[in-house]
Amino acid sequence: MTARTHPLAIERAAQSKLASIDLNNLQFGRTFTDHMLVATYDEDRWQDVRIQPYGNLSISPSISALHYGQAVFEGMKAYKNAAGQALLFRPHANHARINQSAARLCMPPIPEEVFIDGLVELVRLDSDWIPTQPGSALYLRPIYFASEESVGLRPSARYTFAVIACPVASYYAEPVKLTVTRDYVRAFAGGTGAAKAAGNYAASLLADREAKARGFDNVLWLDGKEQRYIEECGTMNVFFTIGDRVVTPALSGSILPGITRDSLLKLLPTMGVEVEERAIEIDEIADAYRAGTLREAFGAGTAATIAHIASIQYDDLTIELPPVADRPYAPKLSEAMAELKTGRRSDEFGWIVRV
Ligand code: COI
């Protein structure tokens, strides 16, 4: 057996908090498991990889992530199969994406041994926390940030990587109401829109708050240059069914390359459904709605899973989507994804990692 380049130390929590948690009544992102993974990059190498009881990290007010936003993150989920075995969904895709995000923000890559092996060990240790009711999962949140104590503007020489875990129910309990904003943009060509950078989410908060004050659940972002093409929702990528064809915005460089998005692009053809990645004008969706050919709209994300879109407010037009029961593909896709993730459907794409 070869020695690990990055040995993993494990300190177990003295007592589990699980008995005090109601896994049938969860608010998204509020409940954390007993353990977390933490690793440090310093002196040009990864070191001190450990699992320890969930708790505060000690950081200095001078760490550069707090000043200049050199911080990225991931979202992924673990499920249980009928035999009670923990399953991770596409963790290698998250590993690849965090390293793409890191590269955009001048951060060093995280080795597979630290990311994947660390996650597997964390999920193994906290596997009793994986909820099993339909729609629920153990949400894993890898965070990666600059932790050098310096306010000089340059890439940090020190970084902290951590993974925390929360049992969650569905992010959206009901079909979502979206509004198109003309006042703000999320991202633009050459920016950081395709990275899972913490700053992208901070930049979306004001538009999101204003949308919520007007009774919407979320913003549907248009492109940053012409405000003409549909991009994404911030919490999820978007898909539309026009006639028999499913369409989703192509990865333009300013859209997050969602792992659920990618999974649906691979799954749809196996269901005999034609799917296109291309530029989609918001006016095309409005025209399809007026012509009666817009049959459904849905979001796709790790937290959101497949979220049915109830309506889209666009200037003076409210696009009302049909009742969920009448939608052609999204309900079937949702079921197929749930079956895959919980081992009830054969893993034809090799997406599942058993813990
Ligand atoms: C995820 O889906 O994992 C995300 O990071 C979206 C976040 C807004 C909850």
Side-chain angles (χ1 to χ4, degrees):
M1 203 170 129
T2 50
R4 295 178 64 96
T5 314
H6 306 289
L8 177 66
I10 298 181
E11 182 200 341
R12 285 173 177 268
Q15 200 174 356
S16 173
K17 299 170 292 192
L18 184 55
S20 64
I21 307 296
D22 179 3
L23 289 179
N24 293 309
N25 188 14
L26 296 162
Q27 254 190 305
F28 187 90
R30 296 276 186 150
T31 305
F32 303 99
T33 63
D34 291 324
H35 299 94
M36 62 184 186
L37 174 73
V38 186
T40 304
Y41 180 90
D42 203 5
E43 295 166 341
D44 299 325
R45 66 189 175 86
W46 284 94
Q47 44 188 289
D48 195 15
V49 186
R50 65 202 132 86
I51 287 176
Q52 63 188 49
Y54 175 88
N56 294 350
L57 294 173
S58 170
I59 52 165
S60 148
S62 64
I63 67 164
S64 41
L66 296 177
H67 300 260
Y68 306 122
Q70 224 192 341
V72 299
F73 71 99
E74 271 303 321
M76 47 203 300
K77 280 180 173 169
Y79 300 83
K80 268 187 181 168
N81 64 15
Q85 189 173 25
L87 311 176
L88 277 166
F89 184 69
R90 303 194 71 182
H92 293 92
N94 293 92
H95 178 228
R97 190 172 64 181
I98 201 168
N99 282 342
Q100 283 156 18
S101 301
R104 178 62 183 81
L105 268 65
C106 272
M107 301 163 75
I110 303 170
E112 178 167 332
E113 202 185 58
V114 174
F115 189 94
I116 300 284
D117 298 4
L119 264 163
V120 165
E121 228 24 82
L122 178 66
V123 170
R124 188 170 289 148
L125 213 54
D126 283 343
S127 63
D128 288 346
W129 286 80
I130 302 175
T132 52
Q133 311 88 305
S136 66
L138 185 66
Y139 184 74
L140 298 154
R141 173 51 69 86
I143 54 168
Y144 182 26
F145 59 93
S147 51
E148 181 183 356
E149 296 181 28
S150 166
V151 293
L153 178 58
R154 57 177 168 71
S156 175
R158 187 176 194 278
Y159 295 90
T160 301
F161 170 61
V163 185
I164 55 174
C166 355
V168 295
S170 304
Y171 193 78
Y172 294 114
E174 300 291 336
V176 291
K177 292 188 209 148
L178 304 180
T179 180
V180 170
T181 177
R182 298 286 187 185
D183 299 330
Y184 309 99
V185 294
R186 176 188 171 273
F188 36 82
T192 58
K196 209 161 168 63
N200 293 342
Y201 294 79
S204 74
L205 292 176
L206 183 56
D208 191 58
R209 186 166 71 183
E210 291 179 4
K212 286 189 173 123
R214 289 169 42 232
F216 299 100
D217 298 300
N218 206 342
V219 171
L220 177 62
W221 296 100
L222 301 183
D223 72 279
K225 191 172 177 200
E226 296 179 80
Q227 297 227 314
R228 185 167 155 200
Y229 298 99
I230 295 174
E231 295 237 305
E232 58 152 289
C233 268
T235 51
M236 55 193 187
N237 296 109
V238 284
F239 288 74
F240 303 89
T241 302
I242 302 174
D244 289 333
R245 197 165 284 209
V246 175
V247 294
T248 192
L251 298 179
S252 58
S254 51
I255 296 177
L256 188 81
I259 293 163
T260 307
R261 173 188 181 280
D262 181 73
S263 305
L264 300 189
L265 289 173
K266 295 190 164 85
L267 207 51
L268 278 161
T270 70
M271 296 164 63
V273 182
E274 266 189 75
V275 54
E276 287 175 6
E277 291 177 83
R278 61 170 172 81
I280 304 170
E281 289 190 35
I282 181 71
D283 281 333
E284 176 186 347
I285 298 302
D287 289 346
Y289 171 65
R290 290 191 195 97
T293 54
L294 181 65
R295 298 172 69 199
E296 68 187 347
F298 53 98
T302 297
T305 61
I306 290 172
H308 302 292
I309 295 172
S311 61
I312 304 170
Q313 178 75 39
Y314 162 51
D315 292 343
D316 294 333
L317 178 69
T318 301
I319 298 173
E320 301 275 2
L321 282 305
V324 172
D326 296 344
R327 299 190 181 200
Y329 305 126
K332 289 187 199 104
L333 270 177
S334 188
E335 184 52 28
M337 286 289 280
E339 285 173 359
L340 258 168
K341 291 167 169 180
T342 53
R344 285 178 286 136
R345 181 184 165 114
S346 85
D347 179 22
E348 61 186 295
F349 299 103
W351 285 339
I352 301 297
V353 170
R354 284 165 193 267
V355 170

